[in-house]
Amino acid sequence: MDKILILDFGSQVTQLIARRVREAHVYCELHSFDVSIDFIKEFNPKGIILSGGPNSVYESDYQADPALFELGIPVMGICYGMQWMAQSLGGKVEAGTVREFGFAEIEVNPANPLFKDLSDRVHGDKTCLEVWMSHGDKVTAMPAGFEVIASNASCPIAAMADTTRNFYAVQYHPEVTHTLKGREMINHFVLDICASEPSWTMPNYIDQAVAKIREQVGTDEVILGLSGGVDSSVAAALIHRAIGDQLTCVFVDNGLLRLNEGKQVMETFAEHLGVRVIHVDATAQFMGHLAGVSDPEAKRKIIGREFVEVFQAESAKLPSAKWLAQGTIYPDVIESAGAKTGKAHAIKSHHNVGGLPETMKLSLLEPLRELFKDEVRELGVALGLAPELVYRHPFPGPGLGVRILGEVKQEYCELLKRADAIFIEELRAAQDEKSGKNWYQLTSQAFVVFLPVKSVGVMGDGRTYDYVVALRAVVTSDFMTAKWAELPYDLLGKVSNRIINEVRGINRVVYDVSGKPPATIEWE
């Protein structure tokens, strides 16, 4: 099977490169930039992609082995990867006088294989593409044998190539969705320039994952923390396919779930998965430890710690249980700087990544750790899970604990549950005439956030002084970047009216119009 090797220099979006390669149905692996040249030879890739990174190449020790350029295989550098390629081969990299972060338009050479048949617009005889830039340094002198294949006023060498040796480099990020033709560029490199055979598919991934789980687990028993969300559901289905009755799912009701979710989860899994599910009501335990805590990181740590305590207690009832399975996916890992390369910068802790104590007695089993949300959904469909389960909006592991800003109180939970249920109900009911879909289907994630502030209002002839909630809805394909959803005003108005009229204690509703970046999808 043909393979692409991705060397990670620490970019927050490195795994998106792997995702794009997989979309081309070519197998790839992501490894640290400092792997040995012997490892690369043994891996025997059809091509190598060098990721971006947060450092300056002229003062960083993030340096790969330049001997990879002597292997006779195509290499593509992205952002820092381009700069490292340029410096390693005799070019020059300097700090730019103008930094570029965000959308940019570049003029490209349409005859170059990387840009074959690609254009976003044409200005006279100039072919232009919209790309996503994120850099302060830039290449100011190319190595011998290279030519400029893309440029703009701020970045005269926005892309360069040595077509004789099949070396290509771009200053922007083709892996993110904001680069409109980025997927096609990576396809050109992987399929055309590297001549890779597109033979990697989700069914093949299932076979590999099942074999890996069986090898890891052996005859041990596994307990899985089941939340009812997409990730833990798909993880349960995959692990159950691999080891059958060796799996026991533990559903922890921590009091931070959505309205009626405990009942729905138990009913759904009894019907769809056919695995043993133990229901643990730990509401009092979680609420007790969260009392008086307002810092979001502290809340995440507490929730993670208490989850582990519950699982350890349940594992004591299963003498052969040696593994704790979780539905951890890659956006969780990269935001916690928990990627296997260890090169990414931390954004925030996730209860199932950074919050696990060293004293945990169970080994971790995370079969979805390298996948993005849309890949997890594709995997769920391939495993035969029901669409209403697979396409459910994601729900954070800490639950409402990170959707209640500040201290978590039972009163706040009850208000938030009811407001959130109204929002989701109206999203499902509202049809978009153009697409024929409802707005729940058109948004990737939607929820309500409780704000621990009060505002003055008027209801009837009386003054109110009640709480404020924020509606949040985003559209994304990978959850690494996201746009706020442009919901119809009449829909927002209806949701606001219902919440204010039906949830006593809330008198103001606002809508969040922040993208990711600079914001995150969740507020905490």
Side-chain angles (χ1 to χ4, degrees):
M1 180 171 60
D2 290 344
K3 299 179 290 187
I4 297 294
L5 175 63
I6 302 166
L7 296 185
D8 180 21
F9 286 94
S11 169
Q12 288 292 334
V13 293
T14 297
Q15 188 72 3
L16 287 179
I17 305 172
R19 183 174 171 275
R20 298 296 176 222
V21 175
R22 293 172 188 169
E23 287 173 348
H25 299 295
V26 175
Y27 180 76
C28 64
E29 289 187 14
L30 189 155
H31 292 275
S32 176
F33 65 86
D34 52 5
V35 296
S36 69
I37 197 67
D38 289 335
F39 171 87
I40 297 176
K41 290 178 180 179
E42 184 177 350
F43 188 80
N44 192 30
K46 293 285 286 187
I48 297 174
I49 299 178
L50 312 171
S51 85
N55 303 299
S56 292
V57 69
Y58 44 80
E59 60 184 16
S60 172
D61 60 357
Y62 277 34
Q63 307 289 329
D65 190 334
L68 65 86
F69 294 115
E70 306 300 323
L71 298 178
I73 58 177
V75 181
M76 180 179 183
I78 296 174
C79 199
Y80 182 96
M82 171 180 177
Q83 295 164 12
W84 179 77
M85 178 188 289
Q87 179 172 278
S88 299
L89 294 174
K92 188 174 184 181
V93 179
E94 298 178 290
T97 55
V98 177
R99 300 193 304 169
E100 287 187 291
F101 294 95
F103 276 112
E105 184 177 81
I106 58 172
E107 179 187 348
V108 304
N109 176 2
N112 187 272
L114 198 64
F115 303 126
K116 179 183 177 183
D117 299 325
L118 302 183
S119 75
D120 290 322
R121 60 184 54 86
V122 176
H123 300 297
D125 61 348
K126 298 180 179 179
T127 300
C128 297
L129 294 170
E130 286 193 13
V131 299
W132 184 261
M133 293 281 195
S134 182
H135 69 100
D137 298 337
K138 61 184 179 181
V139 176
T140 55
M142 294 181 295
F146 281 78
E147 62 177 337
V148 176
I149 58 173
S151 63
N152 65 15
S154 300
C155 191
I157 309 176
M160 64 182 189
D162 178 343
T163 54
T164 301
R165 292 183 288 177
N166 277 327
F167 294 162
Y168 296 80
V170 298
Q171 185 56 69
Y172 53 88
H173 287 270
E175 68 271 33
V176 303
T177 55
H178 304 348
T179 297
L180 302 185
K181 297 294 191 303
R183 179 184 299 183
E184 290 87 345
M185 295 175 204
I186 292 177
N187 281 356
H188 283 334
F189 178 74
V190 170
L191 298 176
D192 301 334
I193 295 169
C194 296
S196 302
E197 182 69 26
S199 59
W200 189 86
T201 62
M202 190 53 72
N204 289 341
Y205 176 81
I206 292 174
D207 293 340
Q208 295 165 9
V210 165
K212 183 177 180 181
I213 292 168
R214 288 173 179 166
E215 181 181 358
Q216 279 184 278
V217 172
T219 59
D220 296 336
E221 289 189 17
V222 177
I223 59 174
L224 179 141
L226 188 61
S227 70
V230 177
D231 303 332
S232 65
S233 301
V234 174
L238 180 61
I239 295 169
H240 186 252
R241 176 170 292 196
I243 61 173
D245 292 341
Q246 293 170 241
L247 171 68
T248 298
C249 293
V250 178
F251 172 58
V252 179
D253 188 344
N254 58 6
L256 302 171
L257 304 175
R258 290 166 285 200
L259 189 67
N260 299 323
E261 188 162 22
K263 180 181 178 181
Q264 293 169 0
V265 167
M266 294 302 293
E267 290 177 350
T268 298
F269 281 87
E271 177 183 351
H272 290 292
L273 285 183
V275 300
R276 185 157 66 106
V277 182
I278 298 173
H279 185 192
V280 181
D281 186 352
T283 300
Q285 177 177 338
F286 278 81
M287 289 297 179
H289 286 285
L290 288 169
V293 179
S294 59
D295 179 75
E297 284 293 280
K299 288 192 295 185
R300 287 176 178 272
K301 298 287 186 181
I302 289 170
I303 293 169
R305 183 191 70 208
E306 295 310 309
F307 266 116
V308 173
E309 290 294 327
V310 173
F311 287 130
Q312 285 182 329
E314 291 303 317
S315 70
K317 305 172 187 177
L318 299 167
S320 297
K322 304 297 183 185
W323 298 85
L324 169 62
Q326 296 188 138
T328 307
I329 64 173
Y330 196 75
D332 302 337
V333 176
I334 196 68
E335 286 192 337
S336 297
K340 65 181 178 182
T341 64
K343 308 304 180 185
H345 287 195
I347 302 297
K348 61 185 178 184
S349 295
H350 286 264
H351 84 282
N352 55 346
V353 181
L356 296 174
E358 295 179 359
T359 57
M360 191 183 69
K361 299 175 183 178
L362 300 172
S363 299
L364 275 179
L365 179 64
E366 298 174 317
L368 310 182
R369 190 178 175 89
E370 300 294 329
L371 300 183
F372 285 88
K373 182 67 69 174
D374 59 329
E375 293 179 312
V376 172
R377 294 187 196 280
E378 183 183 352
L379 175 58
V381 171
L383 287 167
L385 293 179
E388 60 267 25
L389 185 63
V390 173
Y391 291 100
R392 189 183 187 194
H393 283 189
F395 189 59
L400 301 184
V402 291
R403 291 181 179 174
I404 296 171
L405 304 194
E407 183 181 2
V408 178
K409 296 181 179 181
Q410 191 67 45
E411 173 196 2
Y412 300 164
C413 285
E414 296 307 315
L415 292 174
L416 180 54
K417 287 179 183 180
R418 293 164 60 197
D420 188 78
I422 290 171
F423 187 27
I424 298 304
E425 181 182 327
E426 291 299 334
L427 287 174
R428 291 186 185 277
Q431 294 287 327
D432 173 56
E433 294 182 1
K434 184 177 180 181
S435 67
K437 298 180 178 180
N438 65 48
W439 278 99
Y440 185 83
Q441 295 170 314
L442 292 172
T443 54
S444 306
Q445 191 169 3
F447 54 91
V448 178
V449 179
F450 182 88
L451 309 182
V453 296
K454 288 187 172 182
S455 71
V456 174
V458 178
M459 298 186 74
D461 294 324
R463 174 185 184 274
T464 62
Y465 188 56
D466 289 325
Y467 290 107
V468 182
V469 295
L471 308 180
R472 178 68 157 152
V474 299
V475 176
T476 179
S477 61
D478 50 45
F479 288 81
M480 297 293 286
T481 61
K483 296 180 180 180
W484 61 274
E486 297 182 24
L487 300 180
Y489 290 158
D490 59 346
L491 172 57
L492 290 172
K494 186 175 182 180
V495 172
S496 176
N497 286 338
R498 281 198 61 191
I499 290 175
I500 292 171
N501 287 324
E502 297 177 28
V503 185
R504 186 178 296 274
I506 297 174
N507 71 352
R508 191 177 300 271
V509 176
V510 299
Y511 188 51
D512 182 352
V513 292
S514 309
K516 177 186 180 180
T520 55
I521 294 175
E522 299 286 346
W523 279 39
E524 287 191 341

